[in-house]
């Protein structure tokens, strides 16, 4: 039986990108970055599981949420840390906008399949290196999830990769 319903994640409506992050997991993500009186930014705030747990360091932290008519892709500001759980349907666009903001850290909770060699390479070319990675499972979310922390500056990724398409038939 055929169906007109697309299961491709890129064709999903926005509503399907709304997954509430478990509070303790958001906190774990935040704790993977040592605060240094930073201005933190949660681009995809929704219930605020990240934003409301950012370090109480006297700084005015930042947020956006499309459902509140604050679009990350139109955000202008100078955060030191971007830390959130993004919509998985537009990860490339999210990473591109994130590096344009030039924070010290970019850290996201993403699906295991979202972390590709091409994306790590993109981050490297833009001066960010994968400093930490934490694998976890969220109830009812597809597959495993990763918390990734990219740090700006010289460095090395915590994992190695190549972009070769390896094959045994040539
Ligand atoms: C995975 S959820 C984040 C949930 C949040 N961490 C929480 O626990 O409540 C992703 C959120 O990004 C929002 N979003 C999608 N596109 C956006 C955009 N362009 N700008 C800002 N927010 C966006 C969605 O509405 C959704 O609330």
């Amino acid at each position: 039986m055929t169906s007109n319903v697309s299961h491709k994640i890129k064709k999903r409506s926005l509503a399907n990108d709304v997954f509430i992050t478990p509070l303790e997991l958001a906190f774990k993500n935040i704790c993977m970055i040592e605060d240094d009186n930073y201005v933190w930014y949660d681009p995809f705030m929704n219930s605020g599981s990240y934003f409301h747990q950012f370090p109480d360091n006297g700084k005015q932290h930042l947020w956006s949420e499309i459902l509140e008519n604050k679009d990350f892709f139109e955000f202008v500001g100078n955060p030191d840390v971007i830390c959130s759980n993004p919509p998985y349907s537009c990860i490339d666009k999210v990473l591109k906008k994130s590096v344009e903001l030039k924070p010290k850290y970019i850290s996201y909770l993403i699906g295991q399949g979202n972390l590709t060699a091409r994306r790590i390479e993109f981050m490297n070319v833009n001066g960010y290196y994968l400093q930490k990675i934490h694998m976890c499972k969220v109830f009812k979310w597809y597959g495993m999830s990763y918390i990734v922390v990219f740090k700006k500056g010289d460095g090395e990724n915590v994992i190695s990769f190549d972009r070769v398409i390896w094959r045994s038939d040539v």
Side-chain angles (χ1 to χ4, degrees):
M1 199 168 102
T2 57
S3 159
N4 289 330
V5 178
S6 173
H7 296 286
K8 291 207 167 113
I9 196 161
K10 280 184 181 160
K11 293 190 178 166
R12 279 185 184 172
S13 64
L14 183 64
N16 284 334
D17 276 333
V18 177
F19 293 94
I20 300 305
T21 319
L23 269 176
E24 291 86 353
L25 188 58
F27 188 66
K28 177 167 187 62
N29 190 163
I30 291 165
C31 291
M32 286 170 68
I33 300 157
E34 209 173 310
D35 183 45
D36 190 14
N37 272 346
Y38 291 141
V39 173
W40 293 62
Y41 173 36
D42 178 355
F44 310 103
M45 186 176 86
N46 201 293
S47 68
S49 49
Y50 278 80
F51 181 76
H52 295 311
Q53 298 192 93
F54 283 164
D56 185 9
N57 59 9
K59 301 282 182 181
Q60 187 84 43
H61 301 311
L62 308 164
W63 63 274
S64 48
E65 169 54 59
I66 198 79
L67 300 173
E68 306 275 342
N69 290 321
K70 287 180 187 285
D71 186 345
F72 170 55
F73 300 112
E74 289 171 11
F75 174 84
V76 180
N78 296 296
D80 300 301
V81 180
I82 299 177
C83 185
S84 194
N85 179 199
Y88 294 173
S89 60
C90 51
I91 296 287
D92 287 332
K93 215 174 147 191
V94 167
L95 293 179
K96 182 170 181 294
K97 173 71 181 181
S98 301
V99 301
E100 283 168 8
L101 293 172
K102 299 185 170 65
K104 294 181 176 62
Y105 291 94
I106 296 169
S107 182
Y108 286 124
L109 170 63
I110 56 175
Q112 188 178 24
N114 297 132
L115 186 67
T116 63
R118 179 179 60 77
R119 285 174 177 153
I120 298 173
E121 190 176 76
F122 171 83
M123 296 301 282
N124 292 168
V125 166
N126 284 280
Y128 289 85
Y129 290 86
L130 185 56
Q131 187 197 33
K132 293 183 185 177
I133 182 164
H134 177 79
M135 186 185 274
C136 53
K137 173 71 191 164
V138 182
F139 181 61
K140 287 193 173 174
W141 289 14
Y142 179 76
M144 299 295 290
S145 298
Y146 286 155
I147 295 171
V148 292
V149 179
F150 287 94
K151 188 176 181 187
K152 191 166 177 53
D154 296 333
E156 280 185 12
N157 300 305
V158 287
I159 60 173
S160 62
F161 62 87
D162 63 59
R163 298 287 311 279
V164 177
I165 308 295
W166 295 94
R167 50 193 291 177
S168 60
D169 61 341
V170 286

